[in-house]
Amino acid sequence: GMIEAAMSEIKQNLLLLCKEASEAPLTPQTAEEVTKEIQEALAAVGQAAFNAFLSAKDEQKDIIVVDGESFRFKKLSKLHVISLLGNTTISRRLFQNASDTKTHAPLDAAWGMEDEHLTMEVREASALACAHMTAEEAVTLFKKTALFQPGPTAIKRALKRIEACFAPHREELDQRIRQKEENPEEARVIVASMDGVNVLLNEKGKKQGRPAERPQNARDDVNPTSYKNAMVGVISLYGEVQEDKKGPERLVSRYTSHMPEDGAVRFKKKFEAEVESVVARSPKDIIKVLLCDAARPIWSYARKTELFKDFEKLIDYWHAFEHLSLAAEALFGKGTAEAKAWYTKYASKLKKENNGARSVLRSIEHYGKTRKLSAAREKDLKTQRTFFRRNKAMMNYADFRRRGLPIGSGPVEAACKSLVKARLGRSGMRWSREGGQRILDLRTYVKSNRWDQFWDIYKEIKAAA
């Protein structure tokens, strides 16, 4: 039946194609036209064959029993479906219970299409596309590259249903993915990093920037939107380290992200689960490093968390050098020759000498006492003095470089941009926490090279539902 349906369709379409297009002179335009005609013919053939396949699989009995309840055949009903082969309409048998309160379509249930209009393959393509672009952009892409063409509303609805299916099983799903993973044999270093990145939310918040010069009431000081801090975590495995050499090769990275939340509770739980999994698969002598910027909430959390007790802790190299530059400006003035000379000298000490941060701090304190500074520069210098005093024990750059270990948190800085900002921070975008998390979950699986594992498990959960 599938063959007969397909042959009939291909014959009709190709006869029409030959009649209208194939005899025309060859030009880029006619080549494009013929290609589109063949594409449409293939779509029609595929749909005809697939419809014949489904028709043969439909329930033929007049009475069926579902979960102990009898259903009687009522009528043939239409189901509009978008599959990889295109948009089509399927006629299937619909059954109804004795009280006329429930209907049941056996074909939909067997096929996993109850309350669905996009087939599993199209749902995956839509979800994967929306991890990178908007639903509207995905529609444009599919029109140019695929036989199927769902609308943006259908795609958005599918994303919500996908999330509703796997969200209650998220921890189990991620655990199953991690259990199947192995660390590269050549891994010698684990580096865990965390950072925050602003996301514009559809939530009221206080206005930022210059205060208004005109009189205003309390309502004028509130924006309909507000920026909040989303969190990103990266666990990277590095290869063989060599003393006095450039940092080792990064072998693999796993990513975690979560929309803004009080105390980053759910983010921390997910991040710790990732770190625990990598550590559990590693030899006991592997080097473990926690490498972040100097955000106080991050280090306060790290100090209180038993998981990071035996991690070596380091402030990001570039972050420290930004503060060194600000200290030079506070001491000697922005852009002055003295500021440049002092910065160059102590940048070298900070990077190459043991206790370089303590040397910086001593110099800041010395010049702070001997130079006459304005109130503003004295305030700026106090901030930088506090930074180096508080974090000097986590600036062992010379020791890390000598051992060939990473000293920069580049992977998490890059992840903030590529994982969050590139998708959620586009012009005009503002998010609900739920909608943003829906996209971040998908992007995290993509960036961690876990998409196929995620989708396989999602299909299992969907089938069991």
Side-chain angles (χ1 to χ4, degrees):
M2 292 170 63
I3 293 171
E4 288 179 3
M7 292 302 293
S8 173
E9 198 68 42
I10 193 70
K11 185 176 180 180
Q12 292 180 34
N13 279 274
L14 289 182
L15 280 173
L16 184 64
L17 169 65
C18 291
K19 181 179 179 181
E20 295 184 356
S22 62
E23 296 302 323
L26 178 61
T27 65
Q29 290 75 23
T30 57
E32 181 180 359
E33 182 181 346
V34 169
T35 300
K36 288 182 177 179
E37 293 281 359
I38 293 174
Q39 183 184 35
E40 291 177 7
L42 291 173
V45 169
Q47 291 168 24
F50 191 54
N51 286 6
F53 165 74
L54 292 174
S55 179
K57 298 296 183 181
D58 203 359
E59 179 61 70
Q60 299 302 315
K61 297 177 182 177
D62 289 333
I63 298 177
I64 61 173
V65 177
V66 180
D67 295 331
E69 186 174 9
S70 294
F71 287 75
R72 184 180 296 275
F73 170 67
K74 181 179 180 182
K75 64 178 180 178
L76 287 174
S77 179
K78 303 291 186 182
L79 175 65
H80 300 288
V81 173
I82 302 177
S83 73
L84 288 182
L85 301 168
N87 301 15
T88 188
T89 299
I90 295 166
S91 180
R92 85 276 201 239
R93 290 164 63 84
L94 191 67
F95 293 72
Q96 192 161 33
N97 65 353
S99 59
D100 290 341
T101 57
K102 295 181 186 177
T103 58
H104 181 73
L107 187 70
D108 297 3
W111 184 19
M113 288 292 290
E114 289 181 299
D115 300 321
E116 299 282 1
H117 293 284
L118 308 187
T119 63
M120 185 65 74
E121 302 83 5
V122 175
R123 272 175 263 163
E124 180 181 12
S126 299
L128 185 56
C130 285
H132 300 279
M133 63 187 75
T134 66
E136 290 75 15
E137 290 168 337
V139 169
T140 302
L141 176 66
F142 294 152
K143 284 182 178 179
K144 295 292 185 182
T145 60
L147 300 178
F148 57 91
Q149 296 177 8
T153 301
I155 290 176
K156 292 174 184 177
R157 189 180 297 121
L159 293 185
K160 289 183 179 180
R161 292 178 65 82
I162 290 168
E163 180 195 35
C165 178
F166 82 78
H169 308 275
R170 177 62 190 266
E171 290 185 27
E172 174 198 350
L173 188 153
D174 288 345
Q175 185 178 9
R176 288 179 60 184
I177 291 175
R178 290 191 293 265
Q179 287 174 345
K180 294 180 180 180
E181 292 176 338
E182 295 182 358
N183 292 354
E185 291 184 4
E186 60 270 36
R188 297 294 179 269
V189 182
I190 299 171
V191 177
S193 301
M194 295 169 279
D195 202 358
V197 54
N198 277 336
V199 174
L200 185 59
L201 299 180
N202 263 329
E203 298 178 7
K204 291 182 179 180
K206 191 172 182 180
K207 283 187 177 180
Q208 298 181 352
R210 287 184 63 184
E213 296 180 2
R214 58 180 173 79
Q216 62 182 20
N217 58 43
R219 289 186 178 181
D220 291 332
D221 198 35
V222 177
N223 262 346
T225 59
S226 58
Y227 282 98
K228 301 289 184 182
N229 221 29
M231 289 298 297
V232 176
V234 182
I235 301 94
S236 297
L237 287 165
Y238 290 82
E240 198 71 47
V241 294
Q242 299 182 44
E243 293 185 4
D244 298 318
K245 297 290 183 181
K246 189 177 179 181
E249 177 187 2
R250 183 156 57 115
L251 304 174
V252 66
S253 292
R254 303 298 183 197
Y255 299 85
T256 303
S257 59
H258 207 282
M259 288 291 282
E261 56 172 345
D262 293 339
V265 176
R266 283 174 288 185
F267 165 77
K268 292 171 183 175
K269 186 176 182 179
K270 290 193 289 187
F271 184 67
E272 289 171 21
E274 293 288 343
V275 174
E276 287 174 350
S277 177
V278 172
V279 170
R281 296 194 303 266
S282 302
K284 291 184 178 180
D285 61 346
I286 197 166
I287 300 170
K288 293 175 284 190
V289 178
L290 184 63
L291 204 170
C292 308
D293 67 18
R296 294 185 68 184
I298 288 178
W299 291 107
S300 176
Y301 154 67
R303 283 191 290 271
K304 296 174 183 176
T305 305
E306 185 69 21
L307 176 62
F308 301 113
K309 184 177 181 180
D310 59 347
F311 275 64
E312 298 185 54
K313 297 171 180 63
L314 192 73
I315 297 288
D316 170 57
Y317 162 82
W318 296 107
H319 193 80
F321 276 63
E322 287 177 12
H323 283 271
L324 186 70
S325 176
L326 293 173
E329 292 176 6
L331 285 171
F332 304 102
K334 188 172 183 178
T336 65
E338 287 178 294
K340 292 178 181 178
W342 185 87
Y343 172 83
T344 301
K345 175 181 177 180
Y346 283 93
S348 178
K349 285 179 174 290
L350 190 58
K351 190 174 182 179
K352 297 179 181 179
E353 294 183 6
N354 291 335
N355 299 317
R358 288 179 170 80
S359 296
V360 170
L361 185 59
R362 284 195 296 270
S363 182
I364 288 175
E365 291 174 341
H366 168 74
Y367 283 110
K369 293 176 182 177
T370 58
R371 295 182 65 83
K372 292 184 178 180
L373 304 176
S374 66
R377 282 169 57 183
E378 179 64 43
K379 181 179 178 182
D380 291 342
L381 184 63
K382 182 179 179 181
T383 299
Q384 305 314 318
R385 183 190 300 119
T386 300
F387 171 82
F388 282 98
R389 182 179 296 149
R390 180 182 294 133
N391 298 306
K392 61 182 181 295
M394 297 187 293
M395 296 183 184
N396 304 317
Y397 304 118
D399 176 58
F400 270 65
R401 290 181 75 241
R402 194 160 41 246
R403 294 158 62 197
L405 298 174
I407 60 174
S409 60
V412 74
E413 298 282 349
C416 287
K417 296 174 184 177
S418 64
L419 185 59
V420 180
K421 278 293 187 182
R423 181 64 176 86
L424 304 190
R426 296 164 65 176
S427 179
M429 285 188 171
R430 47 187 61 88
W431 297 86
S432 68
R433 300 187 192 224
E434 296 78 12
Q437 191 61 47
R438 188 178 303 133
I439 298 300
L440 284 185
D441 285 342
L442 299 178
R443 286 183 69 79
T444 301
Y445 288 125
V446 171
K447 189 147 182 78
S448 298
N449 293 317
R450 288 172 167 174
W451 181 267
D452 289 341
Q453 300 95 309
F454 154 66
W455 196 255
D456 286 343
I457 298 173
Y458 161 73
K459 288 190 291 186
E460 291 180 23
I461 295 171
K462 179 67 176 174

